[in-house]
Amino acid sequence: MNGRCNLACRYCYLYAGPDSGWRRRPAAPTAPVLDATAARIAEHAAAHGLTDLAVVLHGGEPLLAGAAVLGAVVDRVRAAVPARCTVHATVQTNGTLLDEDRLRTLAAHRIRVGVSLDGGLPGHNLARVDHAGRPSWTAAARGLRLLAEDRHRESYAGVLCVVDLASDPAEVYESLLDFAPPAMDFLLPHGNWSAPPPGLPASDERPAPYGDWLCTVFDRWWRSDHRRVRVRIFEACVALLLGAPASAESLGLRPFDAVVVETDGSIEQVDSLKSAYEGAAATGLDVFHHSFDDALAHPGVAARQGGLAALAGQCRRCPLVQVCGGGHYAHRYREGAGFRHPSVYCADLQRLIRHVAARLAEVAA
């Protein structure tokens, strides 16, 4: 929704990564782009008889566009889709621009609010700074506390946290609980075999520090809080181990059916692919000339829809594949050899899945 950000997070894969396409796009979409996007969403909903769809207003920092503008965009989509289709709208923000007026406006347009934060203490967020290098913690914490108040509670979607090995996992988890999120998720930093994540060596033989980190948090959640707050990665892992369907981009074999509309109207694959190389998310399609069905038929998008058959042989032979699903697609990349590889986090995912399975076995015993 906005192609710029008021922060300059030091690990940001969009603005500090290998893909510089954002520099060539406008900061905000024009009215024709918004009209065409709403029409394409409505076209897709009608063609597939959808009764529900999700619209995520992302960035950059989407609140730079203004809460009223975001509300008007969502209203435009709701007016365009068939009457039987419910549009679930969420804005994903860094939280620094949240205030009473903006939250009231977003609530009036039935837009829920998710906040990205690296932990609930100032020291957890040292990488989240503005363009002058100043910390964003004070503003983000103020916005989150406001969002957690009873009068805004219905708008509170939850918190996304990128795992940082330098931070104590139990401390991070407990500190996030202080903001009373209804849900949270822990995201692995984007990396791949050619650009390994922090703390992982560039070799096939590696430890599982991210798996260890997540296991520590899982135990805290499982033993005391799993009915108090939803943690998406853990709930998905439990569901998949029990044979139930689960929807998570980083786990399972269900196709991930999302596309991104950029500020110039380009239709792209999910933006996490931009962490791999310049142009990795590009499709050559746009909302003026192509439908979302055209996008789903694009070879790059289709490659993510192939399920088990699309995975590397090592993954297909793994007894955990139904749960792991090969891991996040962007994390499988190796320069010159594409994405048909295990996740760079393979050892970490195995560590987490086996740990969760052991906890489930204890309950069943």
Side-chain angles (χ1 to χ4, degrees):
M1 188 58 215
N2 190 281
R4 302 295 184 268
C5 191
N6 60 329
L7 298 186
C9 299
R10 296 188 174 102
Y11 58 75
C12 181
Y13 65 91
L14 281 180
Y15 302 115
D19 192 310
S20 61
W22 64 274
R23 297 181 183 276
R24 300 183 290 275
R25 293 195 176 98
T30 62
V33 168
L34 295 175
D35 287 338
T37 301
R40 290 299 185 188
I41 293 173
E43 172 188 58
H44 194 76
H48 295 274
L50 301 183
T51 57
D52 295 271
L53 61 84
V55 172
V56 180
L57 305 167
H58 216 284
E61 173 47 55
L63 283 173
L64 287 174
V69 171
L70 300 182
V73 169
V74 171
D75 289 349
R76 192 177 313 203
V77 174
R78 288 191 173 119
V81 300
R84 65 182 179 278
C85 184
T86 300
V87 176
H88 303 276
T90 306
V91 59
Q92 189 64 37
T93 173
N94 58 42
T96 60
L97 300 179
L98 290 175
D99 60 21
E100 192 71 44
D101 288 342
R102 291 186 177 100
L103 283 171
R104 278 200 301 265
T105 299
L106 294 171
H109 294 276
R110 291 176 288 140
I111 301 174
R112 302 187 74 213
V113 181
V115 179
S116 300
L117 200 69
D118 291 343
L121 296 173
H124 298 152
N125 295 275
L126 298 179
R128 301 181 69 82
V129 296
D130 68 13
H131 292 273
R134 296 170 298 201
S136 65
W137 165 254
T138 300
R142 182 174 59 243
L144 258 169
R145 292 191 182 100
L146 190 61
L147 182 59
E149 292 180 3
D150 287 345
R151 65 183 180 278
H152 298 302
R153 187 72 184 173
E154 193 172 338
S155 298
Y156 198 175
V159 173
L160 294 182
C161 176
V162 176
V163 174
D164 179 3
L165 295 179
S167 296
D168 178 81
E171 181 185 75
V172 168
Y173 178 64
E174 298 295 338
S175 68
L176 289 174
L177 288 178
D178 288 342
F179 289 110
M184 64 175 79
D185 200 5
F186 293 97
L187 309 179
L188 295 170
H190 288 313
N192 54 65
W193 292 102
S194 297
L200 289 186
S203 66
D204 292 343
E205 297 296 326
R206 57 182 57 197
Y210 288 92
D212 292 339
W213 199 101
L214 289 170
C215 287
T216 298
V217 178
F218 177 84
D219 283 344
R220 289 292 182 110
W221 174 76
W222 183 250
R223 290 169 178 159
S224 61
D225 297 300
H226 68 278
R227 292 180 181 87
R228 172 182 170 188
V229 59
R230 304 187 64 182
V231 179
R232 185 182 182 191
I233 187 172
F234 299 154
E235 289 190 344
C237 190
V238 168
L240 289 162
L241 281 166
L242 294 175
S247 178
E249 190 175 6
S250 58
L251 291 174
L253 288 167
R254 293 180 68 180
F256 189 72
D257 52 357
V259 294
V260 173
V261 178
E262 291 285 358
T263 55
D264 60 356
S266 299
I267 300 174
E268 294 203 337
Q269 301 178 66
V270 291
D271 55 17
S272 56
L273 287 178
K274 295 179 181 181
S275 65
Y277 60 89
E278 177 86 36
T283 65
L285 310 178
D286 64 73
V287 291
F288 298 107
H289 304 99
H290 306 94
S291 69
F292 290 140
D293 277 342
D294 292 333
L296 290 173
H298 183 274
V301 178
R304 304 188 66 186
Q305 310 293 312
L308 187 64
L311 299 182
Q314 178 182 336
C315 294
R316 294 196 302 273
R317 293 187 296 271
C318 178
L320 303 181
V321 67
Q322 295 293 331
V323 181
C324 171
H328 196 297
Y329 191 78
H331 301 164
R332 306 174 199 172
Y333 177 71
R334 191 187 295 270
E335 186 176 2
F339 294 88
R340 204 176 178 94
H341 305 280
S343 169
V344 72
Y345 289 108
C346 180
D348 301 278
L349 293 173
Q350 289 193 50
R351 170 82 171 94
L352 174 64
I353 293 166
R354 294 185 190 280
H355 183 80
V356 174
R359 293 291 177 261
L360 288 174
E362 291 171 1
V363 173

